Amino acid sequence: MALSIGIVGLPNVGKSTLFTALTSQGGLATDYPFASAEPNVGVIPVPDERLQALADIVHPGRIVAAAVEFVDIAGLAKGANAGGGLGNKFLVSIRESDALIHVVRYFDSGNVPHPEGSVDPERDREILNTELILADIGTLEKAMPRLEKDARRDKANVAKHEIAHRMLAWLSEGNRAADYAFASPEEKALLADLHLISMKKMLYVANISEDEITDTALHPVTLAGEPIIPISAKIEADIVELAAEDPEAAAEFMESMGLVEGGLVRLVREAYQLLGLQSFFTAGEMEVKAWTIPLGTKAPQAAGVIHTDFEKGFIKAETASFADYVEHGGEAGLRTAGKLRLEGKDYVVQDGDVMHFRFNKTK
């Protein structure tokens, strides 16, 4: 399942430095606006200790983690919704992302100028959100004549026209589409083909200074009521660079900074959870692999993530919880203990399920 999370923010907030640390791919990181005009892309494994626990039982040829694609998107400037700065590229890249990480600058540095002249996280958050909202207003205003025409021609389209009209009013009051209280999932789905960018889930990251990383009392916890993850992109990039040369030295450096785990590990994990995702596993001699599915996915659709033929010919899924699989030492122990279940088409897959699918190859 290809999951794309765009890293967004104003110029000079540390997006590309964070991306470099995340991907270890040397994404362009400079001190002038619009350095990353073309989006950089990197695929990052999702940390999951359960994979190694399964591998210790079945001794596979390889271990394959779930993955998230991160995209370093060009810095936004005021007027992006109208094409200002690199607005068009910025907005196109956002539309292609499944969710967003908004990097907000908290560090102050005379060597790295702020495009607005000062460090003000709440103002910067408001600038970006306003640009997304204005872009969506433009999308809806452009679509309304067509939606009205469709509603007059066919009553089946009336509901879509009405919700689009209400959404336009909501956005015009300065609200994000993601905060609208839809009456039902079906009502929300009516707007799906309009690709409203303020509808996307957003995770906030506070890029703090290197000096502040060791003092948790200085770490921001929320921004305008939203949870925010404090990270020093510079420190994380330094840790990644040092680890490539000397892993032990990197571990010692982290310990000296009081870091139990890297901020990047937490960021990748929370970005994965942001989309309402979970993992199920397959385990065998060839590989132990984590497969990504949305919460609430049923067994046939989970099988389809592996191969479309598995979903088309789905019969049953041999299933065990991760805890049972480890406790009983794998498939043989599960069968002896009666813990290997046969689940059908209506089974909702749970996070950590270890599964083997039975399917009809002739379908």
Side-chain angles (χ1 to χ4, degrees):
M1 188 174 187
L3 305 170
S4 177
I5 298 186
I7 303 176
V8 300
L10 301 187
N12 291 354
V13 298
K15 295 184 302 81
S16 294
T17 302
L18 181 64
F19 176 84
T20 301
L22 277 167
T23 63
S24 303
Q25 291 182 1
L28 184 62
T30 65
D31 295 337
Y32 58 89
F34 310 127
S36 49
E38 296 298 330
N40 294 313
V41 180
V43 178
I44 317 300
V46 177
D48 195 328
E49 296 177 352
R50 296 175 296 182
L51 283 165
Q52 187 59 55
L54 295 174
D56 289 343
I57 294 171
V58 300
H59 308 292
R62 62 175 184 166
I63 299 174
V64 183
V68 174
E69 179 184 86
F70 286 93
V71 182
D72 178 21
I73 298 174
L76 171 144
K78 286 182 179 178
N81 70 92
L86 293 173
N88 291 331
K89 286 185 178 181
F90 176 88
L91 295 173
V92 167
S93 298
I94 285 183
R95 285 194 174 93
E96 294 172 350
S97 301
D98 297 307
L100 302 173
I101 288 176
H102 182 183
V103 181
V104 184
R105 179 170 168 175
Y106 276 72
F107 71 90
D108 199 358
S109 171
N111 297 324
V112 185
H114 192 293
E116 296 298 314
S118 63
V119 174
D120 186 336
E122 296 220 10
R123 177 204 59 209
D124 294 353
R125 172 188 177 274
E126 188 66 24
I127 288 174
L128 189 136
N129 281 336
T130 296
E131 292 299 325
L132 301 188
I133 291 167
L134 289 174
D136 284 345
I137 288 174
T139 296
L140 282 169
E141 287 179 342
K142 185 177 180 180
M144 288 306 289
R146 172 179 58 83
L147 296 176
E148 186 175 354
K149 182 178 179 181
D150 291 344
R152 288 199 304 266
R153 187 178 65 249
D154 187 343
K155 289 185 178 179
N157 297 318
V158 170
K160 181 173 183 176
H161 176 253
E162 289 179 349
I163 186 58
H165 184 76
R166 293 198 299 273
M167 178 58 72
L168 180 57
W170 173 258
L171 293 168
S172 298
E173 293 175 355
N175 303 302
R176 295 178 68 240
D179 297 327
Y180 184 83
F182 289 96
S184 66
E186 291 74 21
E187 185 179 59
K188 182 177 180 180
L190 291 173
L191 299 179
D193 64 343
L194 293 174
H195 305 291
L196 300 179
I197 55 181
S198 71
M199 187 80 79
K200 296 181 184 296
K201 294 181 179 180
M202 187 177 293
L203 181 66
Y204 290 97
V205 168
N207 190 7
I208 62 178
S209 70
E210 298 97 301
D211 297 335
E212 293 175 328
I213 196 68
T214 57
D215 190 347
T216 56
L218 298 176
H219 294 183
V221 178
T222 61
L223 175 61
E226 299 284 347
I228 189 165
I229 301 174
I231 287 178
S232 170
K234 180 62 168 60
I235 289 291
E236 297 293 339
D238 288 346
I239 291 172
V240 169
E241 183 177 354
L242 183 58
E245 300 174 358
D246 188 339
E248 289 187 8
E252 291 175 1
F253 176 66
M254 286 183 62
E255 185 177 352
S256 71
M257 301 290 288
L259 300 175
V260 178
E261 68 173 2
L264 300 182
V265 173
R266 181 184 173 197
L267 177 58
V268 173
R269 188 183 295 122
E270 296 208 19
Y272 185 74
Q273 294 175 352
L274 173 66
L275 291 172
L277 302 170
Q278 63 183 7
S279 295
F280 73 91
F281 304 106
T282 52
E285 292 182 359
M286 290 185 61
E287 68 177 17
V288 166
K289 185 168 183 176
W291 301 88
T292 302
I293 55 173
L295 295 170
T297 299
K298 293 187 177 180
Q301 288 68 51
V305 172
I306 300 176
H307 197 288
T308 54
D309 287 349
F310 286 20
E311 181 175 359
K312 292 177 183 177
F314 179 87
I315 300 174
K316 292 286 184 180
E318 294 183 353
T319 307
S321 69
F322 169 77
D324 283 346
Y325 196 96
V326 172
E327 179 182 350
H328 297 286
E331 187 174 331
L334 286 165
R335 292 186 186 279
T336 300
K339 292 291 186 176
L340 191 63
R341 313 186 307 270
L342 277 180
E343 301 290 0
K345 294 182 178 180
D346 293 329
Y347 176 69
V348 177
V349 179
Q350 301 300 302
D351 183 56
D353 277 350
V354 184
M355 309 186 79
H356 174 75
F357 297 101
R358 298 181 184 179
F359 66 103
N360 188 339
K361 297 180 182 179
T362 62
K363 286 192 177 182

